Amino acid sequence: MTEVNLKYYVDTGDFKNKSCHIAVFVQLPPSLYVNTDELADLRRLHKTSSCSDGEIDVELFAEKAHYQNVTICSRLSNTKTVLSIPIHQRYQFATSNGEPSNVTLPRPKLLIGCRDRLKEHRVSKLKICWPCVEYSKKWRDLSFKWEGDGNFVWSIPVGNTSRKFEITCITLLVTFSGAVYVLWTIYNTCKVPKDRKPKDN
């Protein structure tokens, strides 16, 4: 299915501390997923520090899948940080009208983890996955100003079952015709010409 590289731009203003890490936590709806094998490859290549908890089966249809908690983290070495992760659409069961399904990606939660205690921020109750959980003993919630264009809505194409009977009949007809043609071709190829038949003594 379609893939998009989801990016979050985090601006901490004047605050910068290399002993701190910043993280974005987002819960993906069942219609979307991240591939854990793909994330492992990106971590191995040092392209991202991201992880996920929850549903890991990438072959499941959206109607049978569960939520997936995703964490993207990075060292706070600059006041402006870009956190990105590739997400994918799941297949969905066909419907009678075939109209696209619009999926809304919820707003993320912003977290910070530092060696020094940050009294002004409360300890987060979110479950952070590995390896992000090892970057800080305590992750704390950060309030932030969202400057995006509202929620991110992704349109997912869905199959149409309104013509199921007609399509099934046409498919069977084409398949049957093809089988007859193949058998007829084989018969003509293997047929021994009359002038080559052995003569009786």
Side-chain angles (χ1 to χ4, degrees), residues 33-101:
Y33 72 94
V34 294
N35 189 322
T36 54
D37 293 331
E38 184 178 15
L39 295 186
D41 289 338
L42 292 174
R43 289 196 300 267
R44 180 175 55 84
L45 297 173
H46 304 289
K47 291 185 176 181
T48 184
S49 293
S50 54
C51 53
S52 70
D53 278 330
E55 187 63 72
I56 61 173
D57 191 344
V58 300
E59 300 296 334
L60 283 179
F61 277 72
E63 290 80 1
K64 294 187 176 182
H66 298 285
Y67 287 89
Q68 200 175 24
N69 296 326
V70 177
T71 306
I72 319 164
C73 53
S74 174
R75 184 182 298 276
L76 192 60
S77 56
N78 203 321
T79 58
K80 295 182 179 180
T81 306
V82 180
L83 302 173
S84 63
I85 191 171
I87 61 174
H88 308 262
Q89 298 175 345
R90 287 190 182 276
Y91 290 105
Q92 298 194 29
F93 291 135
T95 61
S96 58
N97 54 25
E99 293 183 358
S101 173

